[in-house]
């Protein structure tokens, strides 16, 4: 209704709306991670110093870290800095967060993207194979294996892979894995083979199971029966009738599973001692270095939201009902 | 060529031929695929491959047999209605149930079962499996098997507590949202969307950095994060039922919300809810283990499966598989719960009312 | 004329998986035989579960879901297509035999333009080139009376209406000049005023192209207009098979006779209509500011009588019921019950006000909690309104079950163990349990098979005579109105276009909409379609 009155192409309106929601979401999350977390019981300064710290030491450190200023003004200052690309200073070593963050973010994106480039086509392909052989042997085998895979914790998969492929039959490098610069090189791609493989296994099963469900849903629609009763062969049915309608749900499946990738990459970095943002994040949590924790949290959440937003946009563009309104 | 290899291939080929002769296509597919793969792996890795395949096959057959017997046993023991329910369980689900029960019994009677104490240093560091120590010793020389049993206690108890808590919060909020509708639904749903937009681990890490480190905080954080998933499902299920005419009929009759939730809605969503509870339990186990593995969950020296992987991970480089045992324990428990859940979910899909 | 299709002793089976029982095989079609000559139409008629769609799909050698053709022959031009290879069957489908589904809205691929889908099979089977096929599609769109035939095919399915999609699907079936088309209830999902257009278009197109057809429906009046032969089916058996004339005018079997005589009786309307129990006064209602659905609706219902509210989908008749029950408070106007205004919102009404106003729904399936037994369903209002418990309550439940002609043995059953008619009866008993003075019946019979529906209507009338309860009866079916109403309100696009005693509303002089509505209802009479179209044309010329 609103789109009609604005006189703009409704798809454009819809896209702008999605992008707007994405930005609002990032701001809301930054608020939650900063203000919400500070409102939890417990005192940052005391946590940071440990329970045995004297009150004077706590008061000193509060002043030093600027914790005595009002919460809202600190949040706005932090938000302003973040929007201009300044994440403040670490409490632990007083160094600028930026420097570490951006270098490590690049490493993490390198690892995660490489994994995604393999995981997405393989899982969509396997999902299709499972549908094609529905209720036959390959479907059952894929079902059982994927059930096993989603039940295994990431670190178990990781150490199994290290145990088997870095030690017993060495075909890749084990921890620590430290990429050399420049990042985008064939040598580095080879280097991250095992961590990327771990990530692929972590994401693959869930993504494949959801792809299978999404395609099955489409194969059961009445228009597939219509196509069958037109005398089309299976390949034509899949190519002309199933595939165009499956793009949108598959994009959604992929987007949903990016969450596993984001979570998985943190654990994988710790397993392989890979200098990415995940490890930076976990180390900061251990010493309660809040500026680093919050910066990492917002960046991870932000990346995830942006990816979801892109997926939303893709799903809209692939949906004929939205692309060709009445 | 050894007798073993000869026997191995004879059995596979004979099995395949029999299967194809009696037109058991599925069995033939499995057997002949294994035969061909064995040849390939045999060339690559030698006799080890055959042993591995044999061990896997025998374990699978044993697991299937156990599941089969357990199902028959339960059907025999249980009263009429429950036994009919049990009859519909596939082998995977009944095997899963058996393992879950065994693990829970082991964990409950850990003091009796474990040969050594939880923190007792009994031998050298990373002694191999066998001998005095069933699964060898860990990085401090404590008995691995005893710690696994005690770890089961901690891991299952904490995961169960988090699962129950998240489930209760999620159900309460989602049913309230679905039945009340209007602005209550809007506020709860939008806030839930916001939490869902943050990947679970990220959220947990930030919150755990700000909170004191103890087991109640851990359970609470896990429950609050996970209730978002319960909320989403619960609301969807409840809305599905709420729009049905029989709920409208109850509202027109003047029934209160208590009757509507507990007598009209709940009985209709019970099976998917039990399945969902299983999924939440699995998630809680995996999540707790991941946190412990990262050093942010249960603190040493208390044994828990995720933490035990962390303690023993350095052994991997020396080909000490100590870190893999607790990992495998987590995986087995999770697989088993998932297999039971799978069955319940399939049942929901095929069941439209009626007795049972 | 040669024989195109011969069906010989066709038997079709399926495996069923009833909850709590072992799966077993059943026969859903038994030993069906018929012949179809080129250019003729055979109608298959029967209730749901009679196996009519299954037979229709067998003509394409297709079994839906777990359905298997277990015996017999389907000879197309003398060759048994059941013995064809997969490739052979593909060659038949879409080229020699085509299918028109009940729901065209779901049957079209949402991601493809209509013309592409219409010509797809024709081009693929090499019947004609793409350009020629598109030309033919445009011609067929014209024949079928679709608006702007040249441009129509460039649209996507969601951009056109349900009636237009149904015609587009017919065009798709006709495009390859097939020998045979299977129409599977093509007009069932449509409103009556749309149905008549689609029906006329299909009939015209069949005549024009000289195609043979199998026409499947549950409505004898529809089939009488379009087919040459009729086969009456019940539970998978052929009850009677003959020409249209013979079946309609001289049916041999009791079952066929029952189908034809349904609702022929017209209840005389009650004489005095002044003492009203329910009165709607100038009601306006909306679902949000952009979706206003009721405009100045007024009507009234006398005590112990029946008011029928008639209209097509989107007329606002169900919304009117929601306003009366308090689910949707009106933005303007008021509902007067027994002389006093009812509080507009449900939550402000007293228990007694709620008790006096009960409701029966269209889908009895979803109107009962599947996890409660019949005794619990009927017993709850007894406990809730009258505080009955234990033996007392059980006794009253048995009484109510007797009243709906079902009896005590049903008390412990679950809804899933009841037939469609039994479910609706239990819903009636639940409403009666509250001892109401008004029951709102929202299309209670439209999801039921005709004979079952007639039984339910008769029960409702008997109960009214017995208890003096009033009915507000919402329906889209004129025949039902004729059978049960005392007064009638005709609704169209949220307004009451006509209201009054049945004798006045259903007789001339008419307003335009009521005229169209009444003339669109198929009558069980040969040649009705032609007459109706002719009179419509005259009316159009007259304007």
């Amino acid at each position: 209704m609103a789109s009609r009155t604005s006189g703009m192409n409704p798809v454009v309106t819809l896209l702008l709306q999605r992008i707007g929601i994405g930005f609002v979401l990032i701001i809301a999350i930054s608020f939650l991670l900063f203000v919400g977390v500070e409102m939890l019981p417990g005192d940052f300064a005391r946590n940071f110093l440990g329970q045995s710290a004297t009150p004077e030491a706590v008061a000193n450190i509060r002043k030093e870290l600027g914790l005595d200023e009002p919460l809202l003004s600190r949040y706005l200052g932090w938000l302003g800095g973040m929007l201009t690309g300044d994440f403040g200073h670490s409490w632990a070593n007083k160094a600028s967060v930026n420097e570490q963050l951006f270098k490590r973010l690049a490493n993490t994106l390198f690892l995660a993207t490489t994994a995604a480039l393999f995981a997405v086509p393989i899982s969509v392909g396997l999902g299709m194979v499972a549908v094609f052989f529905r209720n036959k042997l390959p479907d059952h085998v894929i079902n059982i294996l994927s059930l096993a895979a989603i039940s295994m914790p990431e670190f178990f998969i990781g150490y199994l892979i290290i145990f088997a492929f870095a030690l017993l039959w060495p075909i890749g490098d084990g921890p620590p894995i430290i990429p050399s610069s420049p990042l985008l090189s064939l040598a580095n791609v080879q280097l991250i083979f095992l961590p990327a493989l771990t990530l692929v296994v972590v994401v693959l099963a869930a993504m494949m199971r959801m792809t299978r469900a999404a395609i099955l849903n489409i194969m059961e629609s009445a228009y597939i029966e219509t196509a069958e009763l037109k005398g089309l062969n299976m390949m034509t049915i899949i190519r002309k009738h199933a595939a165009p309608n499956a793009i949108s749900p598959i994009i959604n499946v992929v987007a949903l599973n990016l969450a596993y990738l984001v979570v998985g990459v943190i654990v994988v970095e710790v397993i392989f001692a890979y200098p990415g943002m995940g490890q930076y994040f976990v180390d900061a949590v251990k010493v309660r270095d809040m500026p680093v924790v919050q910066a990492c949290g917002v960046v991870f959440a932000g990346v995830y939201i942006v990816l979801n937003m892109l997926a939303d946009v893709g799903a809209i563009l692939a949906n004929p009902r939205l692309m060709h309104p009445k | 060529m050894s007798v073993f290899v000869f026997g191995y291939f004879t059995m596979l080929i004979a099995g395949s031929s029999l299967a194809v002769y009696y037109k058991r296509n599925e069995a033939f597919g499995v057997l002949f695929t294994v035969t061909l793969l064995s040849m390939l792996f045999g060339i690559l890795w030698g006799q080890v491959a055959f042993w591995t395949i044999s061990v896997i096959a025998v374990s699978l057959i044993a697991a299937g047999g156990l599941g089969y017997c357990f199902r028959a046993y339960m059907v025999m023991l249980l009263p009429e209605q429950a036994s009919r329910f049990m009859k519909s369980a596939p082998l995977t689900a009944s095997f899963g149930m058996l393992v879950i029960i065994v693990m829970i019994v082991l964990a409950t009677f850990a003091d009796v079962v474990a040969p050594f104490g939880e923190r007792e240093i009994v031998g050298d560091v990373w002694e191999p499996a066998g001998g005095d120590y069933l699964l060898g010793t860990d990085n401090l020389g404590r008995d691995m098997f005893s710690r696994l049993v005690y770890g089961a206690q901690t891991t299952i108890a904490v995961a169960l507590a988090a699962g129950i808590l998240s489930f209760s919060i999620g159900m309460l909020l989602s049913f309230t949202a679905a039945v009340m509708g209007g602005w209550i639904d809007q506020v709860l749903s939008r806030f839930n969307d916001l939490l869902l937009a943050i990947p679970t681990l990220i959220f947990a890490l930030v919150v755990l950095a700000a909170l004191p480190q103890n087991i109640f905080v851990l359970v609470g954080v896990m429950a609050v994060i996970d209730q978002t998933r319960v909320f989403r499902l619960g609301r969807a299920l409840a809305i599905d039922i709420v729009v049905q005419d029989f709920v409208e009929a109850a509202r027109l009759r003047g029934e209160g919300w208590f009757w509507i939730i507990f007598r009209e809605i709940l009985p209709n969503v019970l099976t998917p809810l039990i399945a969902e509870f299983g999924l939440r339990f699995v998630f809680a186990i995996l999540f707790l283990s991941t946190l412990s593995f990262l050093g942010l969950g249960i603190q040493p020296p208390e044994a828990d499966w995720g933490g035990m992987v962390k303690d023993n991970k350095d052994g991997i480089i020396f080909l000490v598989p100590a870190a893999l045992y607790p990992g495998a324990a987590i995986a087995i428990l999770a697989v088993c719960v998932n297999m039971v859940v799978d069955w319940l979910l399939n049942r929901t899909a095929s069941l439209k009312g009626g007795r049972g | 004329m040669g024989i195109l299709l011969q069906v010989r002793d066709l038997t079709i089976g399926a495996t069923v998986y009833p909850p709590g029982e072992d799966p077993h095989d059943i026969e859903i079609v038994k030993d069906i035989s018929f012949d179809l000559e080129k250019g003729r139409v055979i109608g298959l008629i029967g209730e749901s579960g009679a196996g009519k769609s299954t037979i229709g799909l067998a003509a394409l050698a297709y079994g839906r879901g777990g359905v298997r053709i277990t015996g017999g022959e389907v000879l197309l031009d003398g060759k048994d297509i059941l013995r064809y290879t997969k490739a052979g069957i593909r060659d038949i489908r879409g080229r020699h035999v085509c299918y028109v589904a009940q729901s065209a809205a779901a049957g079209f691929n949402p991601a493809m333009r209509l013309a592409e889908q219409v010509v797809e099979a024709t081009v693929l089977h090499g019947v004609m080139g793409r350009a020629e096929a598109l030309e033919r599609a445009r011609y067929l769109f014209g024949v079928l009376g679709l608006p702007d035939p040249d441009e129509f095919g460039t649209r996507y399915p969601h951009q056109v209406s349900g009636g237009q999609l149904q015609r587009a699907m017919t065009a798709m079936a006709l495009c390859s000049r097939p020998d045979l088309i299977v129409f599977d209830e093509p007009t069932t999902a449509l409103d009556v005023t749309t149905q008549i257009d689609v029906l006329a278009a299909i009939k015209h197109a069949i005549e024009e192209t000289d195609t043979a057809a199998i026409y499947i429906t549950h409505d004898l009046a529809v089939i009488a207009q379009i087919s040459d032969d009729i086969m009456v089916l019940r539970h998978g058996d052929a009850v009677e098979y003959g020409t249209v004339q013979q079946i309609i005018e001289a049916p041999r079997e009791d079952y066929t006779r029952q189908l034809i005589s349904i609702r022929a009786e017209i209840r005389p309307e009650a004489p005095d209509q002044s003492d009203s129990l329910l009165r709607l006064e100038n009601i306006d209602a909306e679902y949000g500011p952009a979706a206003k659905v009721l405009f100045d609706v007024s009507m009234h219902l006398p005590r112990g009588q029946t008011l029928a509210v008639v209209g097509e989908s989107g007329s606002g008749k169900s919304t009117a019921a929601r306003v009366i029950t308090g689910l949707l408070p009106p933005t303007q106007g008021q509902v007067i019950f027994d002389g006093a205004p009812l509080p507009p919102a449900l939550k402000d009404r007293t228990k007694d006000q709620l008790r006096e106003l009960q409701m029966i729904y269209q889908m009895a399936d979803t109107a009962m909690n599947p996890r409660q037994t019949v005794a619990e369903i009927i017993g709850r209002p007894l406990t809730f309104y009258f505080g009955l418990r234990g033996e007392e309550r059980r006794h009253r439940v048995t009484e109510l079950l007797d009243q709906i002609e079902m009896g005590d043995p049903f008390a412990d059953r679950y809804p899933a163990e009841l037939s469609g008619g039994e479910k609706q009866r239990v819903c009636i008993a639940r409403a009666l349990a509250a001892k109401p003075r008004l029951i709102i019946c929202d299309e209670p019979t439209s999801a039921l098979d005709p004979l079952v529906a007639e039984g339910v209507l008769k029960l409702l009338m008997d109960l009214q005579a017995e208890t003096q309860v009033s009915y507000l009866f919402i329906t889209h079916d004129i025949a039902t109105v004729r059978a049960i109403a005392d007064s009638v309100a005709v609704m169209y696009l949220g307004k009451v276009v006509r209201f009054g005693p049945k004798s006045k509303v259903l007789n001339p002089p008419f307003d335009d909409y009521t005229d169209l509505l009444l003339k669109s209802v198929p009558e069980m009479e040969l040649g009705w379609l032609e007459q109706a179209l002719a009179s419509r044309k005259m009316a159009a010329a007259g304007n």
Side-chain angles (χ1 to χ4, degrees), chain B residues 84 244-249 251-256 259 263-265 267-268 271 350-356, chain C residues 19-20 322 325 327 346 354 359 361 363 366-372 380-381 384-385 412-414 416-417 430:
Chain B
R84 197 157 54 192
Q244 296 213 21
D245 290 338
F246 68 82
V247 177
E248 187 182 302
R251 286 173 62 201
L252 289 180
R253 200 185 306 138
E255 302 279 8
W259 173 278
R263 302 305 292 273
E264 304 286 352
I265 300 178
N268 284 293
T271 321
S350 66
L351 193 80
K352 297 266 183 286
R355 291 166 204 252
Chain C
R322 290 175 68 83
T325 54
L327 286 170
L346 182 65
L354 294 172
M359 180 129 186
Y361 296 86
M363 305 305 269
T366 61
M368 287 186 287
N369 192 333
R371 300 285 170 187
Q372 292 174 358
R380 180 58 191 170
F384 188 78
Y385 293 125
D412 293 321
R413 297 220 197 152
Y414 284 90
E417 297 164 320
R430 175 175 64 185

Side-chain angles (χ1 to χ4, degrees), chain B residues 179-180 255-266:
Chain B
V179 175
M180 299 283 175
E255 302 279 8
W257 62 268
F258 187 86
W259 173 278
I260 290 182
I261 288 183
F262 287 95
R263 302 305 292 273
E264 304 286 352
I265 300 178
L266 205 57

Side-chain angles (χ1 to χ4, degrees), chain A residues 104-167:
Chain A
R104 285 165 172 267
L105 179 62
N107 286 347
T108 297
L109 288 179
F110 176 58
L111 176 58
T113 315
T114 314
L117 285 180
F118 286 95
V120 173
I122 294 176
S123 54
V124 171
L126 280 180
M128 286 180 182
V129 169
V131 171
F132 196 81
F133 291 103
R134 191 186 173 195
N135 288 335
K136 296 212 181 90
L137 190 64
D139 186 25
H140 293 311
V141 171
I142 290 177
N143 181 38
I144 290 177
L145 287 183
S146 63
L147 193 69
I150 56 170
S151 307
M152 287 195 236
E154 293 93 347
F155 52 83
F156 181 57
I157 297 173
Y159 285 121
L160 268 186
I161 284 177
I162 293 176
F163 199 77
F165 300 127
L167 301 167

Side-chain angles (χ1 to χ4, degrees), chain A residues 269-282:
Chain A
E269 283 178 11
V270 172
I271 298 171
F272 286 89
Y274 181 84
M277 226 174 78
Q279 214 184 29
Y280 188 44
F281 194 7
V282 172

Side-chain angles (χ1 to χ4, degrees), chain B residues 66 70 94-110 113 145 148-149 152-153 156 305 332-333 336:
Chain B
L66 263 179
F70 181 68
S94 66
F95 176 71
M97 269 187 261
L98 177 64
V99 173
I100 294 168
I101 293 173
V102 167
M103 283 209 181
I104 288 176
V105 169
L106 281 184
T108 316
F109 301 103
V113 178
F145 177 71
L148 262 186
V149 175
Q153 205 170 33
I156 293 177
W305 289 346
I332 288 170
L333 180 56
C336 288

Side-chain angles (χ1 to χ4, degrees), chain C residues 355-416:
Chain C
R355 180 186 64 74
E356 293 193 318
L357 210 160
Q358 294 291 313
M359 180 129 186
I360 304 170
Y361 296 86
Q362 176 177 8
M363 305 305 269
D365 271 320
T366 61
M368 287 186 287
N369 192 333
R371 300 285 170 187
Q372 292 174 358
T373 62
V374 168
E376 286 171 310
I377 290 167
I378 302 179
R380 180 58 191 170
L382 298 174
T383 310
F384 188 78
Y385 293 125
F386 308 112
L388 294 190
R389 282 174 206 288
E391 202 45 48
E392 225 181 346
R393 173 171 133 164
R394 182 71 192 203
H395 183 71
R396 180 81 182 110
V397 167
T398 309
E399 257 177 38
L400 284 162
L401 280 172
D402 288 338
Q403 229 175 342
I404 56 166
E405 298 154 13
M406 279 170 68
D408 195 47
F410 283 91
D412 293 321
R413 297 220 197 152
Y414 284 90

Side-chain angles (χ1 to χ4, degrees), chain C residues 29-293:
Chain C
V29 168
K30 288 158 237 165
D31 285 330
I32 297 294
S33 302
F34 62 84
D35 291 345
L36 183 60
E37 287 174 19
K38 286 195 172 102
R40 280 176 76 89
V41 179
I42 182 172
L44 302 181
I45 180 159
E47 304 177 341
S48 53
K52 45 195 197 303
S53 293
T54 314
I55 297 171
L57 286 167
L60 291 101
Y62 185 81
R64 195 177 267 160
V67 166
R68 296 177 309 273
I69 299 171
T70 48
E73 298 173 324
V74 176
L75 306 171
L76 189 71
D77 278 329
K79 277 169 281 185
D80 186 2
I81 61 168
L82 299 182
R83 295 185 205 296
Y84 276 25
T85 59
K86 276 188 182 171
I89 288 172
R90 278 206 298 272
D91 202 47
I92 300 272
R93 290 177 185 166
R95 179 180 191 169
H96 298 292
V97 188
C98 291
Y99 180 73
V100 178
Q102 174 173 357
S103 167
F108 274 106
N109 178 349
M112 221 167 144
R113 291 179 199 276
L114 286 168
E116 293 299 322
Q117 303 193 51
V118 167
V119 303
E120 187 180 15
T122 310
V123 175
L124 186 104
H125 290 299
V127 179
M128 53 184 98
R130 215 183 114 78
E132 199 188 337
L134 284 171
E135 182 55 43
R136 180 165 166 77
R138 282 194 288 272
Y139 162 74
L140 288 170
F141 291 152
V143 171
L144 288 159
L146 285 164
D148 202 356
D150 290 338
E151 185 267 350
F152 184 79
T154 63
R155 300 197 210 166
Y156 283 87
H158 64 274
Q159 293 171 320
V160 305
S161 74
Q164 290 171 349
L165 274 183
Q166 209 68 54
R167 277 179 268 181
M169 196 150 202
T170 307
M172 183 156 88
L174 286 164
C175 190
S176 62
R177 296 204 179 90
D179 307 317
L180 173 66
I181 301 181
V182 178
F183 290 96
D184 193 352
E185 308 233 18
T187 62
T188 305
L190 305 175
D191 279 326
V192 298
T193 50
T194 320
Q195 164 172 293
I196 186 171
D197 290 333
V198 175
L199 212 53
I202 289 176
K203 182 163 188 175
H204 177 59
I206 291 176
E207 280 165 1
E208 192 92 329
T209 54
D210 205 28
T211 308
I214 297 175
Y215 196 100
I216 296 161
T217 178
H218 66 279
D219 189 343
L220 200 51
V222 164
I223 219 165
Q225 309 312 320
I226 212 157
S227 56
D228 303 303
D229 297 319
I230 291 179
M231 175 177 269
V232 182
L233 294 158
R234 192 183 199 193
H235 306 319
D237 291 312
V239 175
E240 190 166 356
Y241 174 37
T243 63
V244 135
Q245 196 126 19
Q246 181 256 307
I247 298 275
I248 300 289
E249 287 168 6
R252 280 190 293 262
E253 299 292 325
D254 278 350
Y255 181 69
T256 316
R257 239 170 270 144
Q258 281 174 341
L259 281 182
I260 290 171
S261 65
I262 263 171
R263 271 171 279 163
E265 301 155 41
I266 297 174
R267 196 178 87 145
E269 67 184 56
D272 177 33
Q273 306 199 339
S274 51
D275 177 24
S276 62
L277 174 72
L278 178 82
R279 185 180 285 278
L280 303 193
E281 288 181 348
N282 311 97
I283 299 275
D284 281 10
E286 58 182 40
Y287 296 107
K292 199 165 175 201
V293 273

Side-chain angles (χ1 to χ4, degrees), chain A residues 21-269:
Chain A
I21 289 175
F23 278 109
V24 170
L25 213 51
I26 293 181
I27 300 294
I29 282 171
S30 78
F31 185 81
L32 195 70
L33 292 187
F34 195 93
V35 181
V37 163
E38 294 213 15
M39 296 207 316
L40 290 173
D43 182 348
F44 281 1
R46 179 165 291 279
N47 278 341
F48 181 57
L49 289 177
Q51 294 302 319
S52 56
T54 59
E56 295 83 62
V58 171
N60 277 339
I61 198 99
R62 284 182 71 86
K63 193 163 220 151
E64 192 185 324
L65 299 178
L67 283 173
D68 47 354
E69 280 176 52
L71 181 58
L72 205 63
S73 76
R74 272 191 295 131
Y75 169 66
L76 290 177
W78 178 69
L79 186 66
M82 207 179 64
L83 291 177
T84 55
D86 174 15
F87 287 93
H89 290 80
S90 156
W91 289 352
N93 57 12
K94 308 287 180 282
S96 158
V97 176
N98 282 24
E99 203 181 311
Q100 283 281 320
L101 192 74
F102 288 121
K103 202 174 84 205
R104 285 165 172 267
L105 179 62
N107 286 347
T108 297
L109 288 179
F110 176 58
L111 176 58
T113 315
T114 314
L117 285 180
F118 286 95
V120 173
I122 294 176
S123 54
V124 171
L126 280 180
M128 286 180 182
V129 169
V131 171
F132 196 81
F133 291 103
R134 191 186 173 195
N135 288 335
K136 296 212 181 90
L137 190 64
D139 186 25
H140 293 311
V141 171
I142 290 177
N143 181 38
I144 290 177
L145 287 183
S146 63
L147 193 69
I150 56 170
S151 307
M152 287 195 236
E154 293 93 347
F155 52 83
F156 181 57
I157 297 173
Y159 285 121
L160 268 186
I161 284 177
I162 293 176
F163 199 77
F165 300 127
L167 301 167
L168 283 183
W169 305 285
I171 52 174
D173 298 86
I177 287 178
I178 294 157
S180 54
S181 94
L183 200 55
L184 289 176
S185 68
L186 203 60
N188 278 342
V189 173
Q190 248 168 13
L191 188 70
I192 63 162
F193 174 62
L194 290 186
L197 178 66
T198 310
L199 259 186
V200 169
V201 175
V202 165
V203 186
L204 191 68
M207 207 188 294
M208 186 240 103
R209 285 171 82 88
M210 287 166 79
T211 310
R212 175 179 178 273
I215 300 179
L216 263 190
N217 196 12
I218 283 170
M219 292 306 283
E220 276 161 9
S221 345
Y223 55 80
I224 298 294
E225 185 184 270
T226 306
E228 218 171 314
L229 291 178
K230 276 179 180 177
L232 308 189
N233 63 37
M234 209 55 198
M235 280 320 291
T236 316
I237 292 176
I238 290 175
R239 186 170 52 83
K240 285 181 76 176
H241 294 276
N245 290 295
I247 294 172
S248 186
I250 286 178
I251 290 178
N252 276 325
V253 167
V254 170
L256 269 175
N257 284 285
L258 292 174
Y260 290 92
L261 197 67
V262 170
V263 169
V265 82
I266 296 179
V267 181
V268 168
E269 283 178 11

